Amino acid sequence: QSIEQALDADDVYGRIEALKPTHRIYVGLKRELARYRSEGAGPEPAAIPAGTPLKPGASDPRVPLLRARLAASGDLATVEAPDPAAYDATLQAAIRDFQARMGLESDGVAGAGTIEELNVPLAERVRMLRVNLDRGRVLLSHNSARCREAVEDGVAHLRRRLPAFFGTFCELPLDCGGD
């Protein structure tokens, strides 16, 4: 029915745009996808080798690789620094931003989990965002009415079983976010 209405409308593009999800999570995923696509135009930076956690004030030969990865993901404005091997305040702030965006503990220390996330190739990150956008289109378009009924005092009381990869199921709490 929605497709027929879009075809009958004078502004087909506008009708199709109106059907896209506007949930804050979906919009955030779209924004991240655009950012990664624009940042991923250059060559892939070298992976950061494992080692002891990188902390503010430290000097380590892996720090230039850390800077390059953060610049490639758009979390650091430039790789240039007075001492490229020094873990300075600018790098610490970029690490915290990256950690928060990835759902990691935002402590400003580049430990094993942070380095593992930083080493995800940009093409893989784009693929993950695209998969989640597709899932979001299905989930958010089918559940907007159910969300309004299932939120009480800003807390979602509805869980939905979603097919995950390889035919298994995962439970996902619906975060309706007031939308």
Side-chain angles (χ1 to χ4, degrees):
Q1 182 182 9
S2 296
I3 294 172
E4 291 174 6
Q5 290 173 346
L7 292 173
D8 290 339
D10 290 335
D11 182 16
V12 174
Y13 178 78
R15 289 289 296 163
I16 292 172
E17 285 298 307
L19 295 173
K20 289 184 179 179
T22 57
H23 191 277
R24 63 183 168 80
I25 293 173
Y26 184 83
V27 171
L29 286 170
K30 282 180 59 174
R31 184 175 46 249
E32 283 297 296
L33 179 60
R35 189 170 72 79
Y36 270 101
R37 281 183 170 162
S38 70
E39 298 295 337
E44 182 80 27
I48 305 163
T52 60
L54 297 169
K55 298 179 180 180
S59 184
D60 189 291
R62 296 175 295 156
V63 170
L65 298 172
L66 183 63
R67 289 182 189 282
R69 281 276 169 182
L70 288 166
S73 67
D75 292 291
L76 186 64
T78 180
V79 295
E80 303 300 320
D83 181 0
Y87 195 118
D88 58 20
T90 303
L91 188 57
Q92 180 183 17
I95 284 289
R96 283 185 184 196
D97 290 345
F98 177 82
Q99 289 170 326
R101 214 165 34 78
M102 293 297 130
L104 301 170
E105 180 183 354
S106 184
D107 59 5
V109 174
T114 300
I115 289 175
E116 182 180 339
E117 281 297 320
L118 280 164
N119 282 337
V120 172
L122 295 176
E124 175 63 12
R125 189 78 67 200
V126 166
R127 188 195 68 75
M128 289 188 296
L129 286 164
R130 292 181 64 193
V131 165
N132 283 309
L133 277 167
D134 286 343
R135 287 179 174 173
R137 270 190 284 275
V138 171
L139 176 66
L140 296 171
S141 64
H142 286 62
N143 284 298
S144 59
R146 291 176 71 189
C147 277
R148 284 192 286 277
E149 297 169 6
V151 175
E152 182 179 307
D153 297 325
V155 178
H157 298 284
L158 176 64
R159 297 180 79 81
R160 177 171 183 205
R161 293 188 67 192
L162 296 175
F165 292 116
F166 309 115
T168 60
F169 282 84
C170 63
E171 282 201 4
L172 178 71
L174 293 180
D175 176 4
C176 301
D179 291 342

PDB file of all heavy atoms in Angstrom, residues 46-86:
ATOM      1  N   ALA A  46      48.468   0.901   8.965  1.00  0.00           N
ATOM      2  CA  ALA A  46      48.986  -0.363   9.490  1.00  0.00           C
ATOM      3  C   ALA A  46      48.302  -0.696  10.809  1.00  0.00           C
ATOM      4  O   ALA A  46      47.907   0.198  11.566  1.00  0.00           O
ATOM      5  CB  ALA A  46      50.493  -0.255   9.691  1.00  0.00           C
ATOM      6  N   ALA A  47      48.175  -1.986  11.075  1.00  0.00           N
ATOM      7  CA  ALA A  47      47.586  -2.439  12.337  1.00  0.00           C
ATOM      8  C   ALA A  47      48.535  -2.122  13.493  1.00  0.00           C
ATOM      9  O   ALA A  47      49.754  -2.068  13.317  1.00  0.00           O
ATOM     10  CB  ALA A  47      47.315  -3.938  12.278  1.00  0.00           C
ATOM     11  N   ILE A  48      47.939  -1.915  14.655  1.00  0.00           N
ATOM     12  CA  ILE A  48      48.712  -1.634  15.859  1.00  0.00           C
ATOM     13  C   ILE A  48      49.043  -2.971  16.515  1.00  0.00           C
ATOM     14  O   ILE A  48      48.137  -3.728  16.857  1.00  0.00           O
ATOM     15  CB  ILE A  48      47.909  -0.748  16.834  1.00  0.00           C
ATOM     16  CG1 ILE A  48      47.453   0.530  16.144  1.00  0.00           C
ATOM     17  CG2 ILE A  48      48.724  -0.449  18.086  1.00  0.00           C
ATOM     18  CD1 ILE A  48      46.341   1.257  16.866  1.00  0.00           C
ATOM     19  N   PRO A  49      50.340  -3.274  16.711  1.00  0.00           N
ATOM     20  CA  PRO A  49      50.686  -4.543  17.358  1.00  0.00           C
ATOM     21  C   PRO A  49      50.221  -4.582  18.814  1.00  0.00           C
ATOM     22  O   PRO A  49      50.119  -3.548  19.478  1.00  0.00           O
ATOM     23  CB  PRO A  49      52.216  -4.589  17.289  1.00  0.00           C
ATOM     24  CG  PRO A  49      52.627  -3.520  16.355  1.00  0.00           C
ATOM     25  CD  PRO A  49      51.512  -2.521  16.303  1.00  0.00           C
ATOM     26  N   ALA A  50      49.951  -5.772  19.294  1.00  0.00           N
ATOM     27  CA  ALA A  50      49.583  -5.953  20.695  1.00  0.00           C
ATOM     28  C   ALA A  50      50.787  -5.633  21.573  1.00  0.00           C
ATOM     29  O   ALA A  50      51.929  -5.662  21.129  1.00  0.00           O
ATOM     30  CB  ALA A  50      49.122  -7.386  20.929  1.00  0.00           C
ATOM     31  N   GLY A  51      50.499  -5.328  22.801  1.00  0.00           N
ATOM     32  CA  GLY A  51      51.560  -5.023  23.757  1.00  0.00           C
ATOM     33  C   GLY A  51      50.954  -4.516  25.044  1.00  0.00           C
ATOM     34  O   GLY A  51      49.748  -4.664  25.281  1.00  0.00           O
ATOM     35  N   THR A  52      51.767  -3.890  25.851  1.00  0.00           N
ATOM     36  CA  THR A  52      51.261  -3.324  27.097  1.00  0.00           C
ATOM     37  C   THR A  52      50.320  -2.174  26.771  1.00  0.00           C
ATOM     38  O   THR A  52      50.442  -1.537  25.719  1.00  0.00           O
ATOM     39  CB  THR A  52      52.424  -2.819  27.982  1.00  0.00           C
ATOM     40  OG1 THR A  52      53.135  -1.825  27.262  1.00  0.00           O
ATOM     41  CG2 THR A  52      53.344  -3.949  28.393  1.00  0.00           C
ATOM     42  N   PRO A  53      49.368  -1.893  27.655  1.00  0.00           N
ATOM     43  CA  PRO A  53      48.455  -0.772  27.402  1.00  0.00           C
ATOM     44  C   PRO A  53      49.221   0.544  27.224  1.00  0.00           C
ATOM     45  O   PRO A  53      50.220   0.793  27.901  1.00  0.00           O
ATOM     46  CB  PRO A  53      47.586  -0.729  28.658  1.00  0.00           C
ATOM     47  CG  PRO A  53      47.644  -2.119  29.197  1.00  0.00           C
ATOM     48  CD  PRO A  53      49.028  -2.620  28.887  1.00  0.00           C
ATOM     49  N   LEU A  54      48.745   1.358  26.290  1.00  0.00           N
ATOM     50  CA  LEU A  54      49.334   2.666  26.047  1.00  0.00           C
ATOM     51  C   LEU A  54      48.593   3.684  26.897  1.00  0.00           C
ATOM     52  O   LEU A  54      47.374   3.822  26.783  1.00  0.00           O
ATOM     53  CB  LEU A  54      49.240   3.023  24.561  1.00  0.00           C
ATOM     54  CG  LEU A  54      50.010   2.084  23.630  1.00  0.00           C
ATOM     55  CD1 LEU A  54      49.637   2.348  22.179  1.00  0.00           C
ATOM     56  CD2 LEU A  54      51.498   2.236  23.842  1.00  0.00           C
ATOM     57  N   LYS A  55      49.348   4.397  27.735  1.00  0.00           N
ATOM     58  CA  LYS A  55      48.751   5.329  28.692  1.00  0.00           C
ATOM     59  C   LYS A  55      49.290   6.731  28.478  1.00  0.00           C
ATOM     60  O   LYS A  55      50.404   6.900  27.973  1.00  0.00           O
ATOM     61  CB  LYS A  55      49.046   4.883  30.124  1.00  0.00           C
ATOM     62  CG  LYS A  55      48.475   3.528  30.469  1.00  0.00           C
ATOM     63  CD  LYS A  55      48.814   3.124  31.880  1.00  0.00           C
ATOM     64  CE  LYS A  55      48.213   1.749  32.194  1.00  0.00           C
ATOM     65  NZ  LYS A  55      48.517   1.333  33.549  1.00  0.00           N
ATOM     66  N   PRO A  56      48.528   7.735  28.905  1.00  0.00           N
ATOM     67  CA  PRO A  56      49.015   9.122  28.797  1.00  0.00           C
ATOM     68  C   PRO A  56      50.368   9.283  29.483  1.00  0.00           C
ATOM     69  O   PRO A  56      50.612   8.720  30.544  1.00  0.00           O
ATOM     70  CB  PRO A  56      47.928   9.926  29.512  1.00  0.00           C
ATOM     71  CG  PRO A  56      46.704   9.077  29.402  1.00  0.00           C
ATOM     72  CD  PRO A  56      47.186   7.665  29.455  1.00  0.00           C
ATOM     73  N   GLY A  57      51.237  10.032  28.809  1.00  0.00           N
ATOM     74  CA  GLY A  57      52.567  10.280  29.341  1.00  0.00           C
ATOM     75  C   GLY A  57      53.591   9.266  28.864  1.00  0.00           C
ATOM     76  O   GLY A  57      54.795   9.488  28.988  1.00  0.00           O
ATOM     77  N   ALA A  58      53.153   8.160  28.316  1.00  0.00           N
ATOM     78  CA  ALA A  58      54.072   7.114  27.851  1.00  0.00           C
ATOM     79  C   ALA A  58      54.663   7.492  26.504  1.00  0.00           C
ATOM     80  O   ALA A  58      54.112   8.304  25.761  1.00  0.00           O
ATOM     81  CB  ALA A  58      53.342   5.785  27.740  1.00  0.00           C
ATOM     82  N   SER A  59      55.789   6.889  26.196  1.00  0.00           N
ATOM     83  CA  SER A  59      56.410   7.007  24.884  1.00  0.00           C
ATOM     84  C   SER A  59      56.591   5.587  24.369  1.00  0.00           C
ATOM     85  O   SER A  59      57.143   4.738  25.070  1.00  0.00           O
ATOM     86  CB  SER A  59      57.753   7.730  24.994  1.00  0.00           C
ATOM     87  OG  SER A  59      58.304   7.917  23.709  1.00  0.00           O
ATOM     88  N   ASP A  60      56.086   5.326  23.173  1.00  0.00           N
ATOM     89  CA  ASP A  60      56.072   3.965  22.657  1.00  0.00           C
ATOM     90  C   ASP A  60      56.125   4.033  21.132  1.00  0.00           C
ATOM     91  O   ASP A  60      55.495   4.902  20.522  1.00  0.00           O
ATOM     92  CB  ASP A  60      54.774   3.273  23.120  1.00  0.00           C
ATOM     93  CG  ASP A  60      54.756   1.789  22.833  1.00  0.00           C
ATOM     94  OD1 ASP A  60      54.684   1.406  21.643  1.00  0.00           O
ATOM     95  OD2 ASP A  60      54.800   1.003  23.796  1.00  0.00           O
ATOM     96  N   PRO A  61      56.853   3.117  20.497  1.00  0.00           N
ATOM     97  CA  PRO A  61      56.917   3.133  19.023  1.00  0.00           C
ATOM     98  C   PRO A  61      55.574   2.827  18.353  1.00  0.00           C
ATOM     99  O   PRO A  61      55.408   3.079  17.162  1.00  0.00           O
ATOM    100  CB  PRO A  61      57.961   2.053  18.687  1.00  0.00           C
ATOM    101  CG  PRO A  61      58.142   1.254  19.921  1.00  0.00           C
ATOM    102  CD  PRO A  61      57.722   2.103  21.082  1.00  0.00           C
ATOM    103  N   ARG A  62      54.581   2.334  19.102  1.00  0.00           N
ATOM    104  CA  ARG A  62      53.250   2.058  18.532  1.00  0.00           C
ATOM    105  C   ARG A  62      52.373   3.303  18.476  1.00  0.00           C
ATOM    106  O   ARG A  62      51.337   3.312  17.811  1.00  0.00           O
ATOM    107  CB  ARG A  62      52.528   0.980  19.347  1.00  0.00           C
ATOM    108  CG  ARG A  62      53.224  -0.383  19.303  1.00  0.00           C
ATOM    109  CD  ARG A  62      52.548  -1.383  20.217  1.00  0.00           C
ATOM    110  NE  ARG A  62      52.702  -0.951  21.605  1.00  0.00           N
ATOM    111  CZ  ARG A  62      51.894  -1.298  22.596  1.00  0.00           C
ATOM    112  NH1 ARG A  62      50.871  -2.093  22.374  1.00  0.00           N
ATOM    113  NH2 ARG A  62      52.101  -0.859  23.805  1.00  0.00           N
ATOM    114  N   VAL A  63      52.763   4.372  19.179  1.00  0.00           N
ATOM    115  CA  VAL A  63      51.923   5.576  19.247  1.00  0.00           C
ATOM    116  C   VAL A  63      51.682   6.198  17.863  1.00  0.00           C
ATOM    117  O   VAL A  63      50.556   6.586  17.556  1.00  0.00           O
ATOM    118  CB  VAL A  63      52.484   6.594  20.268  1.00  0.00           C
ATOM    119  CG1 VAL A  63      51.759   7.932  20.167  1.00  0.00           C
ATOM    120  CG2 VAL A  63      52.379   6.037  21.680  1.00  0.00           C
ATOM    121  N   PRO A  64      52.706   6.280  16.974  1.00  0.00           N
ATOM    122  CA  PRO A  64      52.402   6.812  15.624  1.00  0.00           C
ATOM    123  C   PRO A  64      51.355   5.980  14.879  1.00  0.00           C
ATOM    124  O   PRO A  64      50.523   6.530  14.148  1.00  0.00           O
ATOM    125  CB  PRO A  64      53.760   6.773  14.917  1.00  0.00           C
ATOM    126  CG  PRO A  64      54.763   6.865  16.024  1.00  0.00           C
ATOM    127  CD  PRO A  64      54.144   6.099  17.174  1.00  0.00           C
ATOM    128  N   LEU A  65      51.362   4.647  15.082  1.00  0.00           N
ATOM    129  CA  LEU A  65      50.341   3.794  14.460  1.00  0.00           C
ATOM    130  C   LEU A  65      48.970   4.079  15.062  1.00  0.00           C
ATOM    131  O   LEU A  65      47.953   4.080  14.353  1.00  0.00           O
ATOM    132  CB  LEU A  65      50.697   2.316  14.644  1.00  0.00           C
ATOM    133  CG  LEU A  65      52.012   1.849  14.015  1.00  0.00           C
ATOM    134  CD1 LEU A  65      52.328   0.422  14.430  1.00  0.00           C
ATOM    135  CD2 LEU A  65      51.954   1.982  12.505  1.00  0.00           C
ATOM    136  N   LEU A  66      48.948   4.324  16.363  1.00  0.00           N
ATOM    137  CA  LEU A  66      47.704   4.677  17.059  1.00  0.00           C
ATOM    138  C   LEU A  66      47.150   5.977  16.494  1.00  0.00           C
ATOM    139  O   LEU A  66      45.957   6.089  16.198  1.00  0.00           O
ATOM    140  CB  LEU A  66      47.989   4.799  18.556  1.00  0.00           C
ATOM    141  CG  LEU A  66      46.847   5.094  19.504  1.00  0.00           C
ATOM    142  CD1 LEU A  66      45.814   3.979  19.487  1.00  0.00           C
ATOM    143  CD2 LEU A  66      47.389   5.283  20.919  1.00  0.00           C
ATOM    144  N   ARG A  67      48.024   6.954  16.325  1.00  0.00           N
ATOM    145  CA  ARG A  67      47.602   8.242  15.739  1.00  0.00           C
ATOM    146  C   ARG A  67      47.043   8.051  14.330  1.00  0.00           C
ATOM    147  O   ARG A  67      46.023   8.630  13.969  1.00  0.00           O
ATOM    148  CB  ARG A  67      48.778   9.220  15.696  1.00  0.00           C
ATOM    149  CG  ARG A  67      49.214   9.735  17.025  1.00  0.00           C
ATOM    150  CD  ARG A  67      50.365  10.753  16.872  1.00  0.00           C
ATOM    151  NE  ARG A  67      50.919  11.098  18.149  1.00  0.00           N
ATOM    152  CZ  ARG A  67      50.353  11.957  19.004  1.00  0.00           C
ATOM    153  NH1 ARG A  67      49.232  12.564  18.684  1.00  0.00           N
ATOM    154  NH2 ARG A  67      50.921  12.210  20.163  1.00  0.00           N
ATOM    155  N   ALA A  68      47.724   7.226  13.531  1.00  0.00           N
ATOM    156  CA  ALA A  68      47.278   6.999  12.147  1.00  0.00           C
ATOM    157  C   ALA A  68      45.901   6.345  12.113  1.00  0.00           C
ATOM    158  O   ALA A  68      45.034   6.731  11.311  1.00  0.00           O
ATOM    159  CB  ALA A  68      48.299   6.147  11.400  1.00  0.00           C
ATOM    160  N   ARG A  69      45.672   5.352  12.964  1.00  0.00           N
ATOM    161  CA  ARG A  69      44.368   4.679  13.012  1.00  0.00           C
ATOM    162  C   ARG A  69      43.265   5.641  13.444  1.00  0.00           C
ATOM    163  O   ARG A  69      42.171   5.635  12.896  1.00  0.00           O
ATOM    164  CB  ARG A  69      44.410   3.487  13.975  1.00  0.00           C
ATOM    165  CG  ARG A  69      45.045   2.273  13.400  1.00  0.00           C
ATOM    166  CD  ARG A  69      44.003   1.520  12.617  1.00  0.00           C
ATOM    167  NE  ARG A  69      44.621   0.483  11.823  1.00  0.00           N
ATOM    168  CZ  ARG A  69      43.946  -0.287  11.022  1.00  0.00           C
ATOM    169  NH1 ARG A  69      42.648  -0.169  10.907  1.00  0.00           N
ATOM    170  NH2 ARG A  69      44.544  -1.191  10.307  1.00  0.00           N
ATOM    171  N   LEU A  70      43.552   6.460  14.463  1.00  0.00           N
ATOM    172  CA  LEU A  70      42.548   7.423  14.953  1.00  0.00           C
ATOM    173  C   LEU A  70      42.267   8.491  13.903  1.00  0.00           C
ATOM    174  O   LEU A  70      41.121   8.943  13.762  1.00  0.00           O
ATOM    175  CB  LEU A  70      43.002   8.048  16.267  1.00  0.00           C
ATOM    176  CG  LEU A  70      42.949   7.116  17.464  1.00  0.00           C
ATOM    177  CD1 LEU A  70      43.730   7.699  18.633  1.00  0.00           C
ATOM    178  CD2 LEU A  70      41.507   6.837  17.866  1.00  0.00           C
ATOM    179  N   ALA A  71      43.284   8.913  13.158  1.00  0.00           N
ATOM    180  CA  ALA A  71      43.068   9.895  12.090  1.00  0.00           C
ATOM    181  C   ALA A  71      42.237   9.274  10.967  1.00  0.00           C
ATOM    182  O   ALA A  71      41.331   9.917  10.421  1.00  0.00           O
ATOM    183  CB  ALA A  71      44.403  10.407  11.563  1.00  0.00           C
ATOM    184  N   ALA A  72      42.514   8.001  10.640  1.00  0.00           N
ATOM    185  CA  ALA A  72      41.767   7.322   9.570  1.00  0.00           C
ATOM    186  C   ALA A  72      40.295   7.148   9.925  1.00  0.00           C
ATOM    187  O   ALA A  72      39.432   7.184   9.053  1.00  0.00           O
ATOM    188  CB  ALA A  72      42.400   5.966   9.269  1.00  0.00           C
ATOM    189  N   SER A  73      39.998   6.976  11.219  1.00  0.00           N
ATOM    190  CA  SER A  73      38.601   6.806  11.632  1.00  0.00           C
ATOM    191  C   SER A  73      37.928   8.148  11.893  1.00  0.00           C
ATOM    192  O   SER A  73      36.747   8.191  12.228  1.00  0.00           O
ATOM    193  CB  SER A  73      38.516   5.920  12.877  1.00  0.00           C
ATOM    194  OG  SER A  73      39.088   6.574  13.991  1.00  0.00           O
ATOM    195  N   GLY A  74      38.672   9.242  11.783  1.00  0.00           N
ATOM    196  CA  GLY A  74      38.093  10.568  11.986  1.00  0.00           C
ATOM    197  C   GLY A  74      38.063  11.017  13.435  1.00  0.00           C
ATOM    198  O   GLY A  74      37.482  12.040  13.754  1.00  0.00           O
ATOM    199  N   ASP A  75      38.717  10.272  14.318  1.00  0.00           N
ATOM    200  CA  ASP A  75      38.709  10.624  15.736  1.00  0.00           C
ATOM    201  C   ASP A  75      39.845  11.556  16.127  1.00  0.00           C
ATOM    202  O   ASP A  75      39.839  12.115  17.224  1.00  0.00           O
ATOM    203  CB  ASP A  75      38.781   9.349  16.587  1.00  0.00           C
ATOM    204  CG  ASP A  75      37.518   8.526  16.452  1.00  0.00           C
ATOM    205  OD1 ASP A  75      36.467   8.973  16.938  1.00  0.00           O
ATOM    206  OD2 ASP A  75      37.576   7.445  15.836  1.00  0.00           O
ATOM    207  N   LEU A  76      40.827  11.719  15.258  1.00  0.00           N
ATOM    208  CA  LEU A  76      41.965  12.597  15.518  1.00  0.00           C
ATOM    209  C   LEU A  76      42.155  13.469  14.285  1.00  0.00           C
ATOM    210  O   LEU A  76      42.198  12.955  13.162  1.00  0.00           O
ATOM    211  CB  LEU A  76      43.220  11.763  15.803  1.00  0.00           C
ATOM    212  CG  LEU A  76      44.478  12.490  16.227  1.00  0.00           C
ATOM    213  CD1 LEU A  76      44.283  13.186  17.580  1.00  0.00           C
ATOM    214  CD2 LEU A  76      45.657  11.527  16.311  1.00  0.00           C
ATOM    215  N   ALA A  77      42.252  14.780  14.498  1.00  0.00           N
ATOM    216  CA  ALA A  77      42.320  15.713  13.374  1.00  0.00           C
ATOM    217  C   ALA A  77      43.596  15.543  12.547  1.00  0.00           C
ATOM    218  O   ALA A  77      43.571  15.665  11.319  1.00  0.00           O
ATOM    219  CB  ALA A  77      42.202  17.147  13.883  1.00  0.00           C
ATOM    220  N   THR A  78      44.713  15.294  13.192  1.00  0.00           N
ATOM    221  CA  THR A  78      45.985  15.168  12.477  1.00  0.00           C
ATOM    222  C   THR A  78      46.895  14.179  13.188  1.00  0.00           C
ATOM    223  O   THR A  78      46.802  14.003  14.401  1.00  0.00           O
ATOM    224  CB  THR A  78      46.684  16.540  12.347  1.00  0.00           C
ATOM    225  OG1 THR A  78      47.911  16.374  11.640  1.00  0.00           O
ATOM    226  CG2 THR A  78      46.969  17.155  13.706  1.00  0.00           C
ATOM    227  N   VAL A  79      47.784  13.568  12.408  1.00  0.00           N
ATOM    228  CA  VAL A  79      48.764  12.660  12.997  1.00  0.00           C
ATOM    229  C   VAL A  79      50.001  13.417  13.476  1.00  0.00           C
ATOM    230  O   VAL A  79      50.831  12.859  14.169  1.00  0.00           O
ATOM    231  CB  VAL A  79      49.189  11.535  12.016  1.00  0.00           C
ATOM    232  CG1 VAL A  79      48.018  10.629  11.704  1.00  0.00           C
ATOM    233  CG2 VAL A  79      49.789  12.101  10.759  1.00  0.00           C
ATOM    234  N   GLU A  80      50.080  14.680  13.097  1.00  0.00           N
ATOM    235  CA  GLU A  80      51.233  15.498  13.476  1.00  0.00           C
ATOM    236  C   GLU A  80      51.211  15.774  14.975  1.00  0.00           C
ATOM    237  O   GLU A  80      50.172  16.067  15.552  1.00  0.00           O
ATOM    238  CB  GLU A  80      51.210  16.829  12.718  1.00  0.00           C
ATOM    239  CG  GLU A  80      51.188  16.682  11.207  1.00  0.00           C
ATOM    240  CD  GLU A  80      52.391  15.937  10.658  1.00  0.00           C
ATOM    241  OE1 GLU A  80      53.512  16.152  11.157  1.00  0.00           O
ATOM    242  OE2 GLU A  80      52.201  15.136   9.732  1.00  0.00           O
ATOM    243  N   ALA A  81      52.406  15.683  15.596  1.00  0.00           N
ATOM    244  CA  ALA A  81      52.564  15.967  17.019  1.00  0.00           C
ATOM    245  C   ALA A  81      54.018  16.367  17.256  1.00  0.00           C
ATOM    246  O   ALA A  81      54.905  15.927  16.518  1.00  0.00           O
ATOM    247  CB  ALA A  81      52.209  14.749  17.862  1.00  0.00           C
ATOM    248  N   PRO A  82      54.274  17.214  18.276  1.00  0.00           N
ATOM    249  CA  PRO A  82      55.666  17.600  18.559  1.00  0.00           C
ATOM    250  C   PRO A  82      56.577  16.383  18.759  1.00  0.00           C
ATOM    251  O   PRO A  82      57.690  16.352  18.259  1.00  0.00           O
ATOM    252  CB  PRO A  82      55.562  18.428  19.841  1.00  0.00           C
ATOM    253  CG  PRO A  82      54.156  18.905  19.886  1.00  0.00           C
ATOM    254  CD  PRO A  82      53.336  17.867  19.171  1.00  0.00           C
ATOM    255  N   ASP A  83      56.105  15.387  19.488  1.00  0.00           N
ATOM    256  CA  ASP A  83      56.835  14.136  19.676  1.00  0.00           C
ATOM    257  C   ASP A  83      55.898  13.015  19.242  1.00  0.00           C
ATOM    258  O   ASP A  83      55.010  12.607  19.997  1.00  0.00           O
ATOM    259  CB  ASP A  83      57.256  13.972  21.141  1.00  0.00           C
ATOM    260  CG  ASP A  83      58.041  12.694  21.386  1.00  0.00           C
ATOM    261  OD1 ASP A  83      58.269  11.917  20.425  1.00  0.00           O
ATOM    262  OD2 ASP A  83      58.440  12.463  22.545  1.00  0.00           O
ATOM    263  N   PRO A  84      56.055  12.506  18.022  1.00  0.00           N
ATOM    264  CA  PRO A  84      55.115  11.518  17.493  1.00  0.00           C
ATOM    265  C   PRO A  84      54.966  10.252  18.326  1.00  0.00           C
ATOM    266  O   PRO A  84      53.945   9.586  18.269  1.00  0.00           O
ATOM    267  CB  PRO A  84      55.675  11.178  16.111  1.00  0.00           C
ATOM    268  CG  PRO A  84      56.616  12.275  15.780  1.00  0.00           C
ATOM    269  CD  PRO A  84      57.113  12.836  17.066  1.00  0.00           C
ATOM    270  N   ALA A  85      55.982   9.886  19.115  1.00  0.00           N
ATOM    271  CA  ALA A  85      55.926   8.665  19.918  1.00  0.00           C
ATOM    272  C   ALA A  85      55.344   8.893  21.305  1.00  0.00           C
ATOM    273  O   ALA A  85      55.170   7.952  22.060  1.00  0.00           O
ATOM    274  CB  ALA A  85      57.319   8.053  20.039  1.00  0.00           C
ATOM    275  N   ALA A  86      55.010  10.160  21.632  1.00  0.00           N
ATOM    276  CA  ALA A  86      54.497  10.482  22.972  1.00  0.00           C
ATOM    277  C   ALA A  86      52.978  10.410  23.000  1.00  0.00           C
ATOM    278  O   ALA A  86      52.293  10.922  22.114  1.00  0.00           O
ATOM    279  CB  ALA A  86      54.954  11.874  23.392  1.00  0.00           C
TER     280      ALA A  86
END
